[in-house]
Amino acid sequence: AGSAMVARALWALLAALRAGWCLLPQSGYLHPDEFFQAPEVMAGDILNLQVFYPWEFLSSSPCRTVVFPLMTSGVTYWVIKSLQQLDMCSSCINSYTLLVSPRLLFTIFSFILDYSVYRLAPFWGADPWKALVLLAGSYVTLVFYTRTFTNTLEGLLFALLMVLVSSRKSSGSSAEPTSSSLIGVITTAGFFNRPTFLAFALMPLLYWAGLIVDSQKSIKTLINHFLKFILCACFTAFVFITADTFYFTSVSLENFYSTNKSNLIDVIAQLHEKMVVTPFNFLSYNLNPHNLALHGNHPRVTHFTVNGVMLFGILHILAVGAGFKMLKKYIHQLMLVRWCYHGLPGLLVHSEGSPTLLLFYFVPLAFLSLFSHQEPRFLIPLILPLVLFSASLNRAVKWKLLIVLFNLLGALLFGCLHQGGLIPCLFHLEQLIHSPASSSHPRHYTLLFAHTYMPPRSLLHVKKTDMHVEVIDMAGAGEETLCQTAEQRVSNFICSDCHIFIIIPGTVRATITKCGVSVKNETLIFPHLSMEDPPQIPVLSSRNWRSQLGLYILELNRDH
């Protein structure tokens, strides 16, 4: 009882940390997709801000559904826009609310994971509160599940699917599956969010199908379950396709409802002709090796050997060890006993312990490993089966000190340091652009970002109609290109109130000195760690270490 109380208090503390750190906010910038797959697009559509639309959301190449961005970032932006229009707050829309409001909604949604663990732990033989502490203490939950990634939604839908397929009566026996409709809806919604969801859904769906076959004696009831699943899946797909078609084509809702019956058939035909099925476009693009190469090729074992360890640490290693033991035992049974006398071993329906959880973990990992582009965030949905496996039989207890140190390091690295100066830099620039001095005397700002991740323009809070701010993303441009651009901008000053800023990591700050341009003012944002331009270890031990772990905002001198 004492240890249970400690576990509950620890979980409550970690849950408060998750919410509080979101509001602080977290400064780490994990990947451009956390902005450019939802908030940036919705800020342009709903708040009419200057943004950068990624190619996936262009009508010429629609590869992402608009439904989930509208339901998440879209809803939060609509709320703050309405509050401002109703004069309930005069400055509801600013860089802080634009960043935090969608993240806060995702943080609230992240507790679906906690609910799922609490529901599933007894079913899979784990202590609920110990499993919850393991989940809430993971830096993956604290950092990745509070960000606006499609992978985050994928993980939440995977958790709900596992809850639905893992039903049990109070007596302890398996219950008759009754959630066929919901399972169909979630599977289809997950597919439209990210087609890779099918890799995660495969084992839960097989487990569910096995339970149905095992518990049903009537063929009619069996067919009824699968019909419900298929009909609800088709209806959900219809909703997504309709919404995406309206969004990505020129057919508007007003035109649709204002047409008379004679023209309605033409409009429906037009919709059918322009029908947008984003998952198929996504798969068509990603199944082309040349397209994947543009985003980076990795060895097929990267998920297994690197990304799993990077995200989950010792828990992944323990699962790998247990997986090899299970495989060895399974092969032994095949060869010596089951093959000759009892048929194939039942790993799914009749085994509700570790073997099935390991399959829930390793089967999606294996499917994702078939693609050459492998990023750590692709694996974050796997935290659920991994936590349940690690909490059962107290596997993780002896490693608790290592687990704590690993997650502290991960939270510091990805929640604070990684590209950690870029968001505070945009906050600073937004205040500068909208300062009283700038409002009374309009100024033109040119912002050159070099050797940073893509800056989300929406955080500058500049309307599409305002032409006084120009953002140039130089990405990882070489010294010659960077210097040439800077010199051209300085020499082309056309007004007395024109300002040019270069935003660059401290590790490549010396490049600007060689460019032949002088710096009028400089601001150092700390901390900022660029893994593309990492600091040298000897320099970190010198007096110059702070600048090596910082991001510079350099205002160029126009009189040079």
Side-chain angles (χ1 to χ4, degrees), residues 7 122 476 540:
L540 288 178

Side-chain angles (χ1 to χ4, degrees), residues 11-30:
W11 173 80
L13 188 66
L14 290 166
L17 173 64
R18 194 189 314 175
W21 201 11
C22 168
L23 295 170
L24 195 57
Q26 288 185 26
S27 59
Y29 182 173
L30 299 175

